[in-house]
Amino acid sequence: MFDPKWLPTLMIFLPLLGSLLIFVTPNRWRDEMAGFMAAVTLGLGLMIWYAGGSGLLSLNWIPALGITYSVELSGVSLALAMVTAFMSFIAVLYAARRIPNPGTMLALILAMETGLLGIFAARDLILFYVFFEDALLPSLLMLAIYGKAHRMRALVKFAAYTLFGSLLMLVSIIGVRYLGGSPTFALVDLKQNLVTGPAQTWLYLGFLTAMAVKLPLWPLHAWLPDFHEQNHDSGIPDVMGTLYKVGGYGLFTFAIPLFPDASLELRPILMGLAAFTALYSAWIAFGQQDWKRLLAYAGLSHMGFVALGVFSLNETAVIGAMYLLAFQNLYTGALFLSVGMVQERIGSLDTRVGGLMTGAGALGGLTMALWFASIAVPGFAGFIGEFSVLLGAYQVSPWLAFVAGLTTIAAAAYALTAFQTTFWQARPLGGVVVRDLVHTEWLILGLPLVVAIFFGVYSAPALNLMQPAVKSVLAALGGN
């Protein structure tokens, strides 16, 4: 009988198999091949969710070095894996329609999906590191192959920040095992052999740096606006890049259990940094006139909220942070695709083009709804995440919760202003006629919106999945 513990492995590596098969599949069938693999991967995730989680599979990988192949999808990791599989499927659908001869793009999407799913499933620090780096390569290739004129500058900046953080993370990973005396790099062994004293703080700072790059968190965010601006106009690489914001998950799954004393010691400073990131990013977003840079800063502001929740070490806030981390991928990713559709129609990403609503009412309406989700209007999943973060953070630091709360006002200002100047403001004389949504574009924007509304109205399935995992992680602190 098939052991369900192997389901995460199938889910992780099926997209990679699809990525390789695309290159030996005739051109006319490549779209169908990629779509099939992405759909089956999503189906495997639903099977694991229906089963309530997969259970831990742990095998010796490199026994001489204490490296194990330990994977599990349950709780927070399963929710994030499901969203990743869903948005990867959406990205495949749009790439098949938007990208000429899309084989390479489809292969890169599926290859990156494997890395991302591996990140969420890994329960061994070295395995986590391997998948962390594995997801980087397709992201760089998308930028290098499909990016704009200044893509190499953005690529070098992105790679430099990521690799610098990765190096510090690797040093911390090695230190955690050898200073703690753990027999392996498996999380279950590391938690039983914690490093103590000042060494824990230094190792935490190394791991934190890598995760701060991948949240990202101010001041390690400088790569983000250029990365999005220089990527392909379609928004497809931006969807995958949004899914790659795994810093909050890494801090939650590994940093809190392995560095509990350091997490408590640095909590006030890190909460302040997170609140500043949220408000600063929203303020900078207000001045952007390029849609992609605006969405980059909007996403950064969301990550400030995620970081505030995680760093607060409060159960309500951490649950909210993980909820927000998962579901912001839906509407932020869909907004990037919406912007890509606008660019396809008018040839510009400028927020001041004006008058699109008259010719593309459905595109404008769905984009407006996605913006409502992004600014955490009640009835959307983002509201539950942000409200929970603020509620929990207030119990730890009322003033920092107030500062972060100002972000909700700033978010409404930048989102509605940009939407107004793009869709409602008078269309310039001589402007091209804009067509509305056609064919699969309805699904590409509509499906993420439906899911965001569903989990905004009925949050119990996701909260019931996440809450036990959050309680288990915070138990390492001996209370909140």
Side-chain angles (χ1 to χ4, degrees):
M1 186 176 178
F2 181 79
D3 190 342
K5 292 180 180 179
W6 284 96
L7 282 176
T9 299
L10 288 177
M11 188 178 179
I12 292 167
F13 291 106
L14 188 63
L16 182 61
L17 175 62
S19 176
L20 297 174
L21 288 177
I22 282 174
F23 293 107
V24 297
T25 302
N27 286 341
R28 66 181 182 275
W29 298 112
R30 286 181 174 180
D31 300 356
E32 288 77 6
M33 168 64 75
F36 175 75
M37 288 297 188
V40 173
T41 301
L42 179 58
L44 288 172
L46 290 171
M47 289 175 59
I48 297 172
W49 188 314
Y50 181 77
S54 67
L56 177 66
L57 172 68
S58 186
L59 305 170
N60 286 326
W61 182 18
I62 309 177
L65 299 178
I67 301 173
T68 68
Y69 177 79
S70 299
V71 293
E72 179 182 11
L73 283 175
S74 61
V76 171
S77 65
L78 178 54
L80 287 165
M82 284 296 303
V83 172
T84 297
F86 177 76
M87 289 308 295
S88 296
F89 176 68
I90 295 293
V92 164
L93 286 182
Y94 191 48
R97 196 203 70 79
R98 173 73 189 270
I99 307 295
N101 192 19
T104 301
M105 177 66 86
L106 294 171
L108 291 174
I109 291 171
L110 293 175
M112 190 167 178
E113 184 181 3
T114 284
L116 294 171
L117 294 174
I119 287 171
F120 299 132
R123 294 296 182 271
D124 178 285
L125 269 180
I126 294 294
L127 187 65
F128 174 78
Y129 180 82
V130 169
F131 283 122
F132 188 86
E133 296 301 313
D134 176 64
L136 174 63
L137 185 58
S139 184
L140 292 174
L141 288 174
M142 285 184 200
L143 181 57
I145 297 171
Y146 295 98
K148 300 177 190 173
H150 301 292
R151 62 183 180 272
M152 294 311 297
R153 182 179 64 189
L155 187 150
V156 169
K157 186 184 292 187
F158 174 47
Y161 271 85
T162 302
L163 293 175
F164 170 71
S166 298
L167 178 62
L168 292 180
M169 178 170 66
L170 183 59
V171 171
S172 294
I173 288 171
I174 295 171
V176 164
R177 183 199 167 188
Y178 287 102
L179 293 181
S182 173
T184 71
F185 286 98
L187 182 60
V188 64
D189 289 332
L190 293 173
K191 288 195 293 187
Q192 295 173 1
N193 297 272
L194 296 179
V195 178
T196 57
Q200 185 185 116
T201 302
W202 286 108
L203 293 173
Y204 177 54
L205 289 173
F207 194 86
L208 173 66
T209 300
M211 296 300 104
V213 170
K214 277 288 166 251
L215 264 163
L217 196 66
W218 185 91
L220 298 176
H221 71 288
W223 60 271
L224 184 67
D226 290 341
F227 170 83
H228 285 300
E229 182 184 32
Q230 293 302 316
N231 249 312
H232 192 266
D233 286 330
S234 65
I236 295 163
D238 303 292
V239 172
M240 304 309 294
T242 299
L243 295 170
Y244 197 18
K245 293 176 181 175
V246 296
Y249 172 78
L251 290 168
F252 166 75
T253 301
F254 295 103
I256 294 176
L258 298 180
F259 313 107
D261 297 336
S263 298
L264 286 167
E265 179 185 355
L266 298 176
R267 172 162 64 176
I269 298 172
L270 295 176
M271 285 184 68
L273 196 61
F276 175 78
T277 298
L279 186 58
Y280 159 83
S281 305
W283 177 258
I284 298 298
F286 186 75
Q288 301 303 308
Q289 295 175 343
D290 180 282
W291 267 112
K292 282 205 173 187
R293 293 186 73 88
L294 188 152
L295 286 171
Y297 282 109
L300 180 60
S301 184
H302 290 143
M303 291 303 103
F305 264 94
V306 170
L308 180 67
V310 173
F311 291 141
S312 73
L313 305 177
N314 172 276
E315 181 182 320
T316 302
V318 175
I319 291 173
M322 295 299 103
Y323 202 91
L324 180 61
L325 179 61
F327 291 107
Q328 65 84 30
N329 288 318
L330 294 171
Y331 44 78
T332 302
L335 280 169
F336 273 115
L337 298 179
S338 170
V339 167
M341 293 176 190
V342 170
Q343 191 280 333
E344 183 183 21
R345 285 158 169 77
I346 65 173
S348 173
L349 289 168
D350 197 294
T351 61
R352 300 164 296 176
V353 294
L356 297 188
M357 186 64 85
T358 55
L363 174 58
L366 287 178
T367 301
M368 182 170 64
L370 289 166
W371 268 120
F372 284 161
S374 180
I375 63 177
V377 170
F380 294 91
F383 172 76
I384 295 172
E386 291 194 13
F387 182 77
S388 298
V389 168
L390 291 175
L391 185 63
Y394 181 84
Q395 299 173 35
V396 179
S397 176
W399 280 108
L400 289 178
F402 172 76
V403 171
L406 294 175
T407 303
T408 59
I409 302 172
Y414 70 66
L416 298 180
T417 299
F419 181 84
Q420 178 187 4
T421 56
T422 300
F423 286 91
W424 286 117
Q425 190 168 283
R427 189 88 175 108
L429 293 176
V432 298
V433 177
V434 179
R435 62 177 172 83
D436 211 343
L437 296 178
V438 294
H439 308 308
T440 55
E441 290 178 335
W442 286 92
L443 292 176
I444 289 161
L445 298 185
L447 288 177
L449 180 61
V450 168
V451 176
I453 293 173
F454 177 83
F455 283 100
V457 175
Y458 183 51
S459 59
L463 290 178
N464 291 340
L465 190 66
M466 293 180 178
Q467 190 172 25
V470 172
K471 285 180 176 292
S472 175
V473 167
L474 294 182
L477 304 171
N480 296 335

